[in-house]
Amino acid sequence: LIQPSRKRFLATPTTGHCCHICAIYYWTCRPSLFIYRSLYLNATCQNGAYRRFFFITAIIAIVFFIMQSSPRTGTTKYRSAQNVIVSGCQGFVLTTVMTLVRLTAFAADTNAAAPIVDDTVGLDLKAARHPHLVLAGKPCVANDIAVDASSILIVSGPNAGGKTVALKTAGLAVLMARAGLHILASPGSRLTLFDAVDTDIGDAQSLENDLSTFTGHLVNLRQFIADSGRSTLLLIDEIAVGTEPEQGAALAQAVLEALAERGTCAIVTTHYERLKALAAERDAFANASVGFDMSAMRPTFELHLGVPGSSGALIVARELGLDQRVHEVGYRYSLSSGPAFPDETKAGSMA
């Protein structure tokens, strides 16, 4: 290696630093090679940008070593341009290596695993965890989340029971896999690299756009029906809320049936009994629920696939310290079978 004609090249600090970094990376951070392998073997069939990324990386690396090893001859402008090219290539290579090192450290610190990419499975996550809860050091219940391709999972259960957390966990797993990252799930987890992950989570009202809570959600649903397809993952939290419950449930069913006809894969949270019944009757839908410990009177945050759940609003209200008298009155009202107000048909006839 130490040849007279190569002494200057080997003695260059920049080259020495690159060699040391590459050696350390090879021996200590080889697990991060999954990132390249995942992007190249799995994601390239979905997104041509990854192919371009690897092509550009290879070209820059070749240019870097050629320019670094070539003698500094020629005019001043030529040598300056040569130095600029070498510095730029060096920065790109070092940034790429250090990024992979940090991603490897993240995977090791969070016990993340490499997902199996399968375009026919939809989502099949084993013991999936929410990244934010893990990084914040908060207690996190691992859950299995499974949704068949071109099907819709309807998640029900008590308020503050973890429905939205499960929704976001699934979406983040897909986005992390699309970025070539390990996901916070057990080995053997499988998923599809969806082209788009669209969400309707939270309150969509806007004074500037003249949108109420209901109309804000409705605008998003309209867009989902127009744009979604087999390559789309939809995450909808509390679909069609903010209006009269019966009409909201009917509208929600119509929207989900339209999405199912398009072969869209979706996870939807709801309290509507009509949607729970829909999942029990139609093959394109499936039920799931978050658990509730009746002995301890608190949610377990565990996701149970195949069974619907009860909302338990009165129980949650009591646990949150609602006045006992108000709670008892609400409980008595829940036992009554008659409506508190005339329905719209009677109201129309009275008018």
Side-chain angles (χ1 to χ4, degrees), residues 106 109-112 125-145 162-176 182-186 199 201 235 237 301 303:
F106 168 78
D109 293 342
T110 58
N111 294 322
L125 305 179
K126 309 294 185 183
R129 294 160 292 146
H130 195 291
H132 176 74
L133 296 178
V134 174
L135 294 176
K138 296 182 179 180
C140 182
V141 177
N143 285 303
D144 295 343
I145 304 175
K163 296 189 298 296
T164 305
V165 172
L167 198 76
K168 294 180 178 180
T169 299
L172 287 173
V174 173
L175 293 177
M176 291 174 69
H182 291 64
I183 64 174
L184 275 67
S186 296
T199 66
I201 301 175
L235 305 174
D237 191 26
F301 305 106
L303 184 66

Side-chain angles (χ1 to χ4, degrees), residues 345-351:
T345 303
K346 294 181 180 179
S349 62
M350 291 174 62

Side-chain angles (χ1 to χ4, degrees), residues 8-291:
R8 183 188 56 77
F9 168 63
L10 293 176
T12 304
T14 299
T15 306
H17 291 160
C18 287
C19 292
H20 283 107
I21 289 175
C22 290
I24 294 172
Y25 170 71
Y26 177 78
W27 289 111
T28 63
C29 303
R30 281 180 292 174
S32 66
L33 290 176
F34 155 77
I35 298 171
Y36 272 115
R37 186 168 63 251
S38 172
L39 288 177
Y40 184 74
L41 296 180
N42 299 322
T44 49
C45 62
Q46 294 285 334
N47 194 337
Y50 291 122
R51 287 194 294 270
R52 292 191 292 272
F53 172 78
F54 279 99
F55 178 76
I56 293 173
T57 302
I59 293 298
I60 289 178
I62 293 172
V63 171
F64 167 69
F65 287 109
I66 291 176
M67 297 296 290
Q68 182 69 26
S69 59
S70 61
R72 299 295 195 271
T73 59
T75 63
T76 303
K77 290 184 178 180
Y78 175 80
R79 290 196 299 270
S80 299
Q82 191 176 20
N83 291 332
V84 170
I85 294 175
V86 169
S87 299
C89 294
Q90 172 193 344
F92 181 86
V93 172
L94 292 180
T95 301
T96 302
V97 171
M98 296 310 296
T99 299
L100 294 178
V101 170
R102 293 306 305 159
L103 294 178
T104 301
F106 168 78
D109 293 342
T110 58
N111 294 322
I116 300 173
V117 177
D118 186 348
D119 294 337
T120 64
V121 73
L123 286 176
D124 185 13
L125 305 179
K126 309 294 185 183
R129 294 160 292 146
H130 195 291
H132 176 74
L133 296 178
V134 174
L135 294 176
K138 296 182 179 180
C140 182
V141 177
N143 285 303
D144 295 343
I145 304 175
V147 189
D148 293 335
S150 302
S151 66
I152 298 176
L153 182 67
I154 298 178
V155 184
S156 55
N159 299 92
K163 296 189 298 296
T164 305
V165 172
L167 198 76
K168 294 180 178 180
T169 299
L172 287 173
V174 173
L175 293 177
M176 291 174 69
R178 280 177 53 85
L181 302 176
H182 291 64
I183 64 174
L184 275 67
S186 296
S189 298
R190 301 182 299 163
L191 52 78
T192 297
L193 293 178
F194 295 96
D195 291 342
V197 179
D198 295 332
T199 66
D200 182 17
I201 301 175
D203 197 340
Q205 63 175 300
S206 172
L207 291 176
E208 295 180 356
N209 299 322
D210 296 327
L211 295 176
S212 66
T213 298
F214 175 69
T215 56
H217 288 299
L218 199 59
V219 168
N220 292 334
L221 295 178
R222 180 186 63 189
Q223 196 67 32
F224 293 161
I225 294 175
D227 298 339
S228 64
R230 295 183 180 277
S231 61
T232 304
L233 174 64
L234 290 184
L235 305 174
I236 306 176
D237 191 26
E238 304 293 350
I239 184 172
V241 296
T243 187
E244 194 273 324
E246 286 297 326
Q247 294 191 18
L251 177 62
Q253 180 176 347
V255 170
L256 293 183
E257 289 177 347
L259 294 174
E261 292 176 357
R262 288 163 172 76
T264 304
C265 184
I267 304 178
V268 179
T269 68
T270 187
H271 294 284
Y272 292 147
E273 295 295 330
R274 176 189 288 267
L275 299 186
K276 302 175 191 178
L278 175 67
E281 298 170 355
R282 300 275 295 275
D283 294 336
F285 301 87
N287 268 313
S289 62
V290 289

Side-chain angles (χ1 to χ4, degrees), residues 321-346:
L322 185 67
D323 183 87
Q324 183 177 358
R325 177 179 174 277
V326 175
H327 177 271
E328 291 175 353
V329 173
Y331 179 74
R332 289 200 301 270
Y333 286 156
S334 70
L335 298 178
S336 63
S337 57
F341 298 98
D343 58 27
E344 293 188 352
T345 303
K346 294 181 180 179

